[in-house]
Amino acid sequence: MTSPNSTLPGLAGHPHFHYQNGILHAEGVALDALASQLGTPLYVYSRAALAQAWRTYSDAIGTRPVLVCYGMKANSNLAVLKEFARLGAGFDIVSGGELKRVLAAGGNPAKVVFSGVGKQAWEMRAALEAGVKCFNVESQAELQCLSDVAQSMGQRARVSLRVNPDVDAQTHPYISTGLKENKFGIAIESALDAYRTAAALPGLEIVGVDCHIGSQLTDISPYFDALEKLLDLIEQLDAAGIAIQHLDLGGGLGIRYTDEIPPSPKALLDQVFERLQARGMAHLHLVLEPGRSLVGNAGVLLTTVQYLKHAQARNFAIVDAAMNDLLRPALYDAYHGVQPVAPRDGAAIEYDIVGPVCESADWLARQRKLALQAGDVLALESAGAYAMVMASNYNTRARAAEVMVDGSRHYIVRQRETLDDLLRGESTLP
Ligand SMILES: *Cc1c(COP(=O)(O)O)cnc(C)c1O
C-alpha cells in the first residue's frame, strides 16, 4: 500500500492512478475536480490501464494460437467492451443480455464463447443466430436442449463440455468453481460419457474441452492440476474417435488487491505450451477467459465522506458509497485499498469505512489508518472488476455513473441513474 504521507508514487497494482501535486490522478485527470464536477459515488476507469492489462496477454501470446475471450461479467460497460473489441478480444458471455452488449459494442460473434449452467432456449437461439464460436455446455440435459434448438434452426451448434476437474483453486469458496461439490461443469469421471452423448446428437458439433476452476487465483499450480486431467481426457476422446480442436482453460488469474503477487499470463502460457509440447498436443488451440485480470485494477470508486462517527469501540467514516455500489466486501469479505484523493496532514486514526445502507454487512473497508474530515473524497481501489456489474438499487439508491479517462480527457460512459429511473415501470393497484 502507498502511504499517503510518503512520496505518493501511485496505488498498489494500479499503473495509471498516481499522485501529482498531492492529488490523486487517473492518467492526466485530477480526481478531486472530477468528483466535484460529476458527484460521487463515481466509478473511474483508465483506458490506458485497460490497454496495458490487455498487452500482458497479447505480449505473452506472441504468435501462439490463443484466443482471449474477455470474461465480460467482470465489467460489461459498452465502452470497456468496445476497447477490448478494438484490441482484438473475443468475449466470454454468460447470458443473452451479455450477447446483446457484445453486438452493441461491435464485438465479433465468431470470437464469442457462451458459458453458464442455465442457458435458456431463447439465449441459445440468439447465440446461434449471431454465430458464436462455441457453447460451453455444463450438463447432459443442456446438451439435449441445445441440440434440439440448433436442429430446429437447421444448424449444428459447436460445443465444448465444461469439465469439472475436481481441483482446489485455493481461493474464496464463493469463487471456487472446480470442486466436485460446485454446481459447475460435468464431473471429469463422467466427461467421456457426456462426450459420447454429444457426439450422437444430430444438432451438435464437438469442437473443444473447457474448464474454469475459480477466480482470483494467486498460484498457477491449480491450472496445471486441471490441465493434466484435461489432457488425459483429450487422449481418451481421441482414442474414441472424437477430435478436439481447442482447449479452453477459463479465466481466474488474480490481481493485487493488497499484497498478493499474482502470476502473469506469460508464466501461465509458457508452462501450458510446455506441457502441450511434452504431451504431443501442440496442435491444440487455446482459449482463455480472463475477466478480473483485464479490468480489476483499471478502475477506482470515488466516494465522499459524509460523517465521522467516533463510537465507543470503533471510529466510522460514513461515506456516500455503499454495499449496493461495491458488494465484494459484504459478499466475500474482500479487501479494497482506500486512498484519500487529496491526502491531508494530521494524525491518522483507524476507521471503518461504511455506507448508509441499513445492513451491518454494509462496510467497504475496515481498520484503515487515515486522517479524514467530512467532505474528503476517497478512492476505493481495484473497483474495475465485479463492482458496477454487481450494483443494485437496494434502499432505493440510484446506481452511480461510470467515467472513462483517456489521457487528460474524460468521458461519461454511463449516466448516473435518477430516482425517476428507479420508479419507472412500477405501478399501484387501481
Ligand atoms: C467469471 C468467469 C470468468 C472470468 O473469471 P475471472 O476470475 O474474472 O478471470 C471466466 N469464465 C467463466 C466461465 C466465468 O464464470
Side-chain angles (χ1 to χ4, degrees):
M1 290 295 298
T2 306
S3 156
N5 301 318
S6 71
T7 51
L8 308 176
L11 307 191
H14 293 58
H16 298 280
F17 293 83
H18 54 91
Y19 286 91
Q20 206 172 305
N21 306 323
I23 302 294
L24 186 61
H25 283 60
E27 303 187 33
V29 172
L31 295 181
D32 56 346
L34 199 64
S36 58
Q37 188 186 337
L38 301 176
T40 55
L42 184 70
Y43 303 94
V44 182
Y45 309 131
S46 154
R47 183 184 189 185
L50 296 177
Q52 178 166 333
W54 174 259
R55 275 196 305 276
T56 63
Y57 281 90
S58 60
D59 289 352
I61 290 166
T63 58
R64 296 184 283 208
V66 182
L67 176 64
V68 177
C69 293
Y70 166 50
M72 62 174 280
K73 73 178 192 286
N75 185 328
S76 57
N77 183 283
L78 292 179
V80 171
L81 302 185
K82 179 106 190 186
E83 278 311 296
F84 287 130
R86 231 199 291 269
L87 291 165
F91 297 91
D92 169 43
I93 64 170
V94 294
S95 72
E98 287 194 345
L99 176 62
K100 190 172 170 85
R101 285 183 175 276
V102 168
L103 299 177
N108 179 356
K111 292 184 181 176
V112 167
V113 297
F114 192 171
S115 301
V117 290
K119 300 176 199 78
Q120 298 174 40
W122 72 267
E123 296 176 308
M124 293 172 173
R125 270 193 298 275
L128 285 165
E129 259 160 33
V132 300
K133 175 183 170 67
C134 184
F135 290 83
N136 291 335
V137 175
E138 304 217 13
S139 66
Q140 295 252 9
E142 187 192 337
L143 281 176
Q144 187 66 57
C145 178
L146 180 58
S147 177
D148 292 347
V149 170
Q151 245 197 323
S152 76
M153 297 172 67
Q155 289 198 30
R156 286 172 78 201
R158 288 174 291 275
V159 297
S160 296
L161 293 197
R162 176 166 173 181
V163 175
N164 184 334
D166 192 26
V167 299
D168 185 355
Q170 289 153 12
T171 184
H172 189 282
Y174 285 10
I175 50 177
S176 179
T177 54
L179 282 167
K180 273 210 276 286
E181 55 265 37
N182 296 126
K183 71 176 175 183
F184 297 102
I186 294 170
I188 187 103
E189 306 80 36
S190 319
L192 190 56
D193 269 353
Y195 270 99
R196 286 206 173 97
T197 305
L201 286 168
L204 303 183
E205 177 192 353
I206 295 167
V207 292
V209 170
D210 169 53
C211 77
H212 171 73
I213 55 176
S215 199
Q216 184 55 16
L217 273 67
T218 51
D219 176 12
I220 40 179
S221 63
Y223 284 103
F224 298 103
D225 299 343
L227 180 66
E228 294 306 321
K229 294 187 180 191
L230 296 176
L231 295 180
D232 292 345
L233 173 64
I234 291 171
E235 273 174 358
Q236 292 167 14
L237 289 170
D238 207 36
I242 298 172
I244 296 301
Q245 297 160 30
H246 78 246
L247 172 59
D248 183 339
L249 289 175
L253 276 185
I255 61 168
R256 169 170 284 204
Y257 286 98
T258 168
D259 55 2
E260 302 92 334
I261 302 178
S264 66
K266 183 162 169 42
L268 176 65
L269 281 171
D270 284 353
Q271 289 187 58
V272 168
F273 277 97
E274 198 174 289
R275 289 307 303 153
L276 292 182
Q277 291 282 356
R279 296 196 51 172
M281 297 194 189
H283 63 283
L284 285 174
H285 285 217
L286 215 63
V287 175
L288 296 177
E289 304 169 351
R292 188 190 314 269
S293 54
L294 284 174
V295 291
N297 277 339
V300 297
L301 173 59
L302 299 183
T303 185
T304 303
V305 176
Q306 300 299 298
Y307 301 106
L308 298 178
K309 178 170 170 176
H310 303 285
Q312 255 179 357
R314 292 280 172 101
N315 299 303
F316 294 102
I318 301 165
V319 299
D320 63 1
M323 64 187 288
N324 75 297
D325 303 296
L326 184 64
L327 185 60
R328 299 188 67 259
L331 187 60
Y332 312 123
D333 208 11
Y335 179 98
H336 284 263
V338 179
Q339 301 291 344
V341 164
R344 56 173 70 253
D345 293 332
I349 63 170
E350 218 168 68
Y351 286 101
D352 284 7
I353 315 294
V354 302
V357 163
C358 302
E359 296 281 349
S360 293
D362 182 27
W363 60 277
L364 300 170
R366 283 182 168 148
Q367 293 174 298
R368 305 302 169 82
K369 277 207 137 176
L370 295 160
L372 292 181
Q373 286 181 17
D376 285 359
V377 178
L378 302 176
L380 290 153
E381 296 179 55
S382 313
Y386 304 108
M388 176 58 182
V389 287
M390 287 185 171
S392 77
N393 296 121
Y394 190 36
N395 282 209
T396 306
R397 287 169 48 85
R399 285 178 296 172
E402 294 174 287
V403 170
M404 180 87 74
V405 165
D406 182 17
S408 59
R409 286 195 292 214
H410 72 268
Y411 301 88
I412 297 172
V413 295
R414 189 179 204 277
Q415 300 281 347
R416 187 177 299 284
E417 268 177 341
T418 65
L419 296 181
D420 286 336
D421 290 337
L422 301 194
L423 270 55
R424 188 167 301 129
E426 292 183 37
S427 51
T428 58
L429 300 185

